[in-house]
Amino acid sequence: MLSSQKISLAKVAAKAFISPLTVRTFATSAARNVSIDLHKNSFESYNCDAPSLQVDVSKEELIRMYKSMVTMRRMEMASDGLYKAKLIRGFCHLCTGQEAVAVGMETALTAEDKIITAYRCHGFTYMRGGSITSILAELLGRKAGISGGKGGSMHMFTPNFFGGNGIVGAQVPLGAGIAFAQKYLGHKAATFSLYGDGASNQGQVFEAYNMAKLWDLPAVFVCENNRYGMGTAANRSSANTSYFKRGDYIPGLKVNGMDVLAVHQAVAYAKEWTVSGKGPLLLEMETYRYGGHSMSDPGTTYRTREEIQHMRSNNDPITGLKQRLLEFNIITEDEMKAIDKAARVEVDLAVEESKASPEPDMSEFFTHVYQKGTEVPFLRGREPEEIYKY
Amino acid sequence: MSSVLRKAAVVSIPSVRQALTRSNPILATSLLAKRSYNSKNGVEMTVRDALNSALEEEMQADDKVYLMGEEVGQYNGAYKVSKGLLDKFGPKRVIDTPITESGFCGLAVGSAFAGLKPVCEFMTWNFAMQAIDQIVNSAAKTHYMSGGNVTCPITFRGPNGAASGVAAQHSQCFAAWYGSVPGLKVVSPWNSEDAKGLLKAAIRDPNPVVVLENELMYGVSFPMSEAALSKDFVVEIGKAKIEKEGSDITIVAHSRSVGFALEAAQLLEKEGICKAEVINLRSIRPLDIDTIIKSVKKTNRLVTVEGGWPQYGVGSEICAQIMESEAFDHLDAPVVRITGADIPTPYAQNLETLAFPDTDVISRVIKRTLQQKIGAK
């Protein structure tokens, strides 16, 4: 990781209570000496070669993947509980079941690569350096929140993660723009712009594809296809559900998004593709959310409980990795239990810390409307006497 | 450089060219080509050339500034505002986009999040309606929603308001819409100094700034002061300018309406009817209400002039703020708004003329309001 990145991340760390150690990339300081074969149906390609089914990782990376997914799930379950306790208000979109996408991506990328997604963003925020406390505190609308409590569930950012965006599809041209900046500044890195099956039909997505291809941007477009756009099944929203082919002139790759190693392999492949100057690439992650679209949606009116249960039992990303870790003797059952317990303790502690954080000071009401030092002379509150002079 | 320039009558052009060419060859060629020498008033420049200078100077000064929009490069600009920039700076910094406002505006905003300083041109502000979500929800609000973590130093610019004979879909004024959004700054230049100074200020401002130009003003020439010709000249965003001092009534206008207001003021003074004070807003957000209040305390009467629709407009906002301020007690008559007509812009010339305020309308309204006195019946 570049030292300049360390410094800026340390600043965020100081603000958002993350230990800089958690922000360290999954460096391949250890030899990638574990070789795992993916299932032959892990990939399907469109106008490009599929990556190799043989994944080379290190023991440390595998354990890290496991720990990250377990912690992420705990964090989302804690959010679920806090929402039901009415401590979280408004929207809350959980990624339970989709952990492999955020985790597999992170292990294949560096801190110089950038990610942008829509509102199902807590998992990505965590992987990109946000501490659990800062994420939960943001959900609770507290001072220790990663956005100072002023953004909420859908607006979380880190130096190399651009949210957290509430308007469906808008993040895709933004992501193309971040890739544009990387190319302009000569950075050998890529930007991964994620969107769902629901967002895939947005006009601006195709506008972004067009410019990314025209200008050879290091942009990877990732469709997280969890089969439902809110309550609408993919085949009811999309005339063409082969999302990895929707880029037309942009090659694509469909990936088993429930397998963290398949995700890792595909993302590494995509990064290499774009950074080597081949232009943009499209990835479709086939994934699944156990919960509803958001906490306001039970998620059972448009799909069967059998389907949800089937996915949990047969395709769970954590269970899948667990089986591999045991099969390859990476880790023992007891060590695994210890990781599970540690994750629970870590999240429980973060819940307490976030609850203990107070709501933002009134003085923060008018800050950040404009950049500090360049504000307008004054802003009005609800009535003429509520006036704030900068 | 400013020490080299004096009144045109005194200085010899070859020596100016020589000196400039030595210090800054690229700037020299372009600037000297742009200005015209008028022996009475010194240097003059069209609004178009003033904008071009601003873009060139800011792109020269900062590598991160780039221009993106339809026809800005090879076509030299739909209205020639970006003429010559592709030749000077190359295709990396002057980018022709496809006709996809929503996409390229979002792309520009994303590049600003990632550290660049884009100037995103809309061929006219009417087309920016396709991109308004990115301007408002992505550019304007993100600094706040991120608790200050994400910044967006972008400039959006293009011609706003009525042109001539382009009918309803191409004639809307967006000052009120963008002016209402916290997180944006909005400027509306009238003359060449405004255009150059405000565009430079906008590009240097680390917040998202909306620059509402006017197509009919692009070809109009105005004198440029020595200071305005400097490459460090900026007009402070949020400060209005008193174009003409007066004592009997205040006229507040922005953009093209400033010209009509000045004409009306001159006419009324010549007819011995009144001495009007004309304020050029220059900025829509923040609105320089202090300058207006100070003027109203002096003149006791106020009319506003704008090209936009009457309901919920710039004039409406000024009326409301005056009502809520100490200036209210100084009014001898209610504030009157002069605006565009509350209809989609018609095409037929006679109808189009009736759709926007001009010198006659302003004079008529002022004469009428001068007769009014609060409480008198």
Side-chain angles (χ1 to χ4, degrees):
Chain A
M1 191 159 70
L2 299 176
S3 60
S4 58
Q5 292 281 350
K6 272 206 195 94
I7 291 164
S8 59
L9 283 166
K11 277 199 192 129
V12 174
K15 192 180 160 189
F17 312 123
I18 27 173
S19 142
L21 282 174
T22 63
V23 154
R24 186 184 50 195
T25 59
F26 290 98
T28 52
S29 50
R32 281 190 153 163
N33 49 12
V34 182
S35 191
I36 296 175
D37 287 329
L38 297 172
H39 190 278
K40 64 176 162 62
N41 290 340
S42 296
F43 306 120
E44 190 184 331
S45 69
Y46 168 72
N47 289 349
C48 65
D49 293 325
S52 160
L53 289 170
Q54 183 186 305
V55 185
D56 294 319
V57 280
S58 70
K59 180 178 165 177
E60 286 72 22
E61 281 175 307
L62 288 167
I63 296 173
R64 211 78 198 236
M65 285 177 181
Y66 180 75
K67 183 173 194 289
S68 296
M69 287 200 288
V70 165
T71 311
M72 194 185 292
R73 183 158 302 178
R74 284 255 159 234
M75 182 180 77
E76 294 290 76
M77 293 316 296
S79 306
D80 182 287
L82 289 166
Y83 194 93
K84 285 169 175 153
K86 295 203 194 300
L87 289 170
I88 299 177
R89 301 160 53 243
F91 296 124
C92 191
H93 308 83
L94 302 178
C95 65
T96 326
Q98 299 185 205
E99 297 87 354
V101 178
V103 174
M105 278 186 79
E106 196 61 36
T107 58
L109 300 179
T110 69
E112 268 212 306
D113 299 306
K114 317 269 199 220
I115 297 179
I116 189 169
T117 187
Y119 44 74
R120 204 172 300 282
C121 63
H122 312 158
F124 288 96
T125 312
Y126 170 62
M127 294 312 293
R128 295 253 97 193
S131 71
I132 303 171
T133 302
S134 73
I135 293 168
L136 294 177
E138 188 59 36
L139 295 173
L140 296 173
R142 306 294 173 92
K143 205 165 165 177
I146 199 165
S147 300
K150 286 157 71 164
S153 170
M154 299 184 289
H155 307 295
M156 302 187 178
F157 306 83
T158 75
N160 54 15
F161 175 61
F162 293 85
N165 290 278
I167 307 298
V168 171
Q171 75 276 16
V172 182
L174 291 174
I178 297 165
F180 177 91
Q182 288 176 316
K183 183 170 181 183
Y184 189 104
L185 295 167
H187 296 166
K188 278 225 150 282
T191 299
F192 286 72
S193 307
L194 292 107
Y195 55 95
D197 46 288
S200 69
N201 300 305
Q202 277 260 317
Q204 57 189 321
V205 169
F206 294 92
E207 294 184 17
Y209 288 167
N210 182 45
M211 287 180 285
K213 184 67 178 176
L214 265 181
W215 302 334
D216 277 321
L217 302 182
V220 182
F221 300 105
V222 185
C223 179
E224 262 183 303
N225 175 10
N226 61 11
R227 307 195 199 170
Y228 300 91
M230 200 153 145
T232 303
N235 61 13
R236 288 181 66 231
S237 77
S238 312
N240 179 356
T241 52
S242 297
Y243 297 106
F244 68 113
K245 294 183 184 171
R246 299 284 293 278
D248 181 17
Y249 39 77
I250 299 179
L253 192 66
K254 187 161 75 168
V255 184
N256 176 5
M258 301 304 268
D259 180 349
V260 69
L261 292 175
V263 173
H264 168 98
Q265 191 80 329
V267 170
Y269 178 83
K271 174 174 173 172
E272 208 280 321
W273 178 284
T274 53
V275 167
S276 69
K278 294 203 188 80
L281 192 74
L282 227 142
L283 296 179
E284 178 187 342
M285 301 286 178
E286 290 193 296
T287 185
Y288 197 85
R289 53 166 162 82
Y290 302 149
H293 161 72
S294 73
M295 289 303 298
S296 320
D297 168 33
T300 47
T301 57
Y302 47 86
R303 50 186 196 171
T304 63
R305 286 181 208 275
E306 287 73 43
E307 181 188 285
I308 306 169
Q309 198 43 52
H310 174 88
M311 291 303 288
R312 259 197 202 274
S313 312
N314 298 19
N315 295 86
D316 187 84
I318 296 174
T319 312
L321 183 62
K322 202 169 175 172
Q323 280 162 1
R324 279 208 175 100
L325 293 179
L326 293 170
E327 186 188 322
F328 285 82
N329 292 314
I330 306 291
I331 200 173
T332 66
E333 280 260 21
D334 285 338
E335 284 169 327
M336 213 168 275
K337 285 201 171 83
I339 292 177
D340 292 348
K341 182 166 180 204
R344 193 165 0 119
V345 168
E346 190 183 356
V347 172
D348 285 347
L349 181 65
V351 169
E352 291 318 305
E353 275 178 4
S354 61
K355 276 181 179 170
S357 176
E359 285 188 302
D361 292 334
M362 255 312 292
S363 60
E364 293 299 327
F365 190 79
F366 285 108
T367 56
H368 310 126
V369 181
Y370 297 96
Q371 266 214 62
K372 197 166 158 75
T374 61
E375 298 99 339
V376 298
F378 64 88
L379 282 177
R380 196 189 131 108
R382 294 168 302 183
E383 51 105 344
E385 303 255 313
E386 277 182 9
I387 202 148
Y388 186 84
K389 294 192 167 93
Y390 288 97
Chain B
M1 189 179 95
S2 59
S3 61
V4 172
L5 293 170
R6 283 160 288 170
K7 286 278 183 223
V10 181
V11 96
S12 79
I13 296 171
S15 71
V16 169
R17 189 163 278 144
Q18 236 181 355
L20 268 175
T21 312
R22 252 182 278 129
S23 63
N24 191 327
I26 294 174
L27 202 54
T29 349
S30 58
L31 277 185
L32 286 168
K34 278 189 260 286
R35 71 181 68 114
S36 65
Y37 291 88
N38 176 314
S39 58
K40 256 191 277 177
N41 303 326
V43 174
E44 280 202 345
M45 203 185 260
T46 60
V47 170
R48 174 184 289 114
D49 289 340
L51 293 167
N52 187 283
S53 299
L55 287 169
E56 186 177 331
E57 288 168 13
E58 294 308 299
M59 287 176 71
Q60 191 107 36
D62 188 343
D63 280 343
K64 298 212 173 80
V65 177
Y66 75 89
L67 175 66
M68 171 177 276
E70 293 155 10
E71 311 297 351
V72 296
Q74 289 189 10
Y75 196 83
N76 278 301
Y79 301 101
K80 303 292 176 268
V81 173
S82 56
K83 183 172 175 193
L85 296 180
L86 176 65
D87 288 340
K88 289 189 181 90
F89 297 102
K92 178 183 163 181
R93 301 189 60 200
V94 181
I95 297 136
D96 285 324
T97 63
I99 308 172
T100 54
E101 276 77 5
S102 177
F104 73 71
C105 178
L107 191 147
V109 173
S111 77
F113 287 170
L116 298 184
K117 293 183 188 170
V119 178
C120 175
E121 175 177 310
F122 295 112
M123 197 181 280
T124 78
W125 274 99
N126 301 286
F127 312 140
M129 272 200 275
Q130 307 231 301
I132 201 168
D133 173 66
Q134 295 286 10
I135 298 171
V136 175
N137 278 323
S138 301
K141 296 179 186 173
T142 300
H143 192 61
Y144 191 84
M145 292 191 299
S146 68
N149 285 328
V150 181
T151 57
C152 189
I154 191 168
T155 302
F156 302 106
R157 53 162 290 272
N160 176 58
S164 194
V166 293
Q169 293 178 341
H170 291 74
S171 306
Q172 191 170 330
C173 173
F174 293 87
W177 284 21
Y178 292 113
S180 70
V181 180
L184 288 181
K185 292 187 184 177
V186 181
V187 299
S188 181
W190 166 56
N191 64 11
S192 304
E193 274 203 21
D194 291 353
K196 184 174 183 221
L198 288 171
L199 181 53
K200 283 167 80 73
I203 294 171
R204 294 182 189 196
D205 197 303
N207 300 287
V209 184
V210 163
V211 181
L212 303 171
E213 301 160 6
N214 186 292
E215 196 221 308
L216 295 173
M217 297 305 295
Y218 281 155
V220 183
S221 252
F222 292 93
M224 291 284 273
S225 66
E226 233 178 77
L229 292 166
S230 150
K231 64 177 166 58
D232 288 315
F233 173 69
V234 287
V235 164
E236 192 186 334
I237 296 178
K239 278 273 173 298
K241 182 172 180 223
I242 299 176
E243 297 288 349
K244 181 181 189 298
E245 289 198 2
S247 50
D248 304 320
I249 188 166
T250 302
I251 313 174
V252 177
H254 75 97
S255 189
R256 191 152 176 260
S257 297
V258 175
F260 294 129
L262 282 168
E263 273 177 23
Q266 268 155 21
L267 216 68
L268 292 164
E269 186 167 347
K270 211 163 78 168
E271 290 174 10
I273 296 180
C274 69
K275 285 197 174 61
E277 178 148 292
V278 178
I279 298 178
N280 171 6
L281 274 180
R282 285 181 156 178
S283 295
I284 304 292
R285 177 184 258 269
L287 184 69
D288 186 359
I289 196 67
D290 283 344
T291 298
I292 304 175
I293 290 173
K294 193 159 163 222
S295 178
V296 169
K297 281 165 131 175
K298 184 171 68 167
T299 66
N300 310 123
R301 288 166 188 279
L302 175 62
V303 301
T304 67
V305 193
E306 69 197 282
W309 288 321
Q311 296 198 46
Y312 310 98
V314 173
S316 314
E317 178 61 22
I318 293 172
C319 283
Q321 289 202 30
I322 291 294
M323 290 273 277
E324 289 176 351
S325 77
E326 45 177 345
F328 177 73
D329 293 320
H330 294 259
L331 286 171
D332 281 347
V335 181
V336 181
R337 300 166 299 159
I338 299 165
T339 68
D342 206 0
I343 56 167
T345 308
Y347 168 67
Q349 187 160 36
N350 63 329
L351 298 182
E352 188 185 23
T353 308
L354 293 174
F356 297 103
D358 58 17
T359 310
D360 288 338
V361 174
I362 300 171
S363 308
R364 181 183 357 132
V365 170
I366 289 179
K367 283 180 192 162
R368 191 196 317 141
T369 190
L370 284 170
Q371 313 285 355
Q372 284 185 293
K373 181 107 175 124
I374 285 182
K377 263 294 180 264

